[in-house]
Amino acid sequence: MIRFKLAEQIEKKQFKESRRITIQEVAEASGVNRMTLSKILNHRGYSTGTDIVDRLCTYFDCAVSDLLEHVADRG
């Protein structure tokens, strides 16, 4: 399963900028729909396209590996 590390990236940006960052702000600045961001944050195993990953990496100025990680299914 691919796990998004979106919450971690938001926390890092908040710490770096010493201010609160909302999902709405991320949506407006990155061009990613707020509902999509909400699903990424709240639905385990949510799948999205590479265009969304690209926009988020650009917004957070991070590598793909900073935003996504592979977690082995234990099943």
Side-chain angles (χ1 to χ4, degrees), residues 5-20:
K5 299 188 283 186
L6 180 58
E8 291 93 326
Q9 288 302 314
I10 291 171
E11 286 179 27
K12 283 182 184 178
K13 190 167 181 72
Q14 287 181 145
F15 182 78
K16 190 165 92 174
E17 296 183 9
S18 298
R19 64 184 186 90
R20 186 169 187 276

Side-chain angles (χ1 to χ4, degrees), residues 49-60:
T50 54
D51 59 322
I52 301 298
V53 173
D54 180 54
R55 289 178 191 180
L56 292 173
C57 286
T58 299
Y59 174 73
F60 289 110

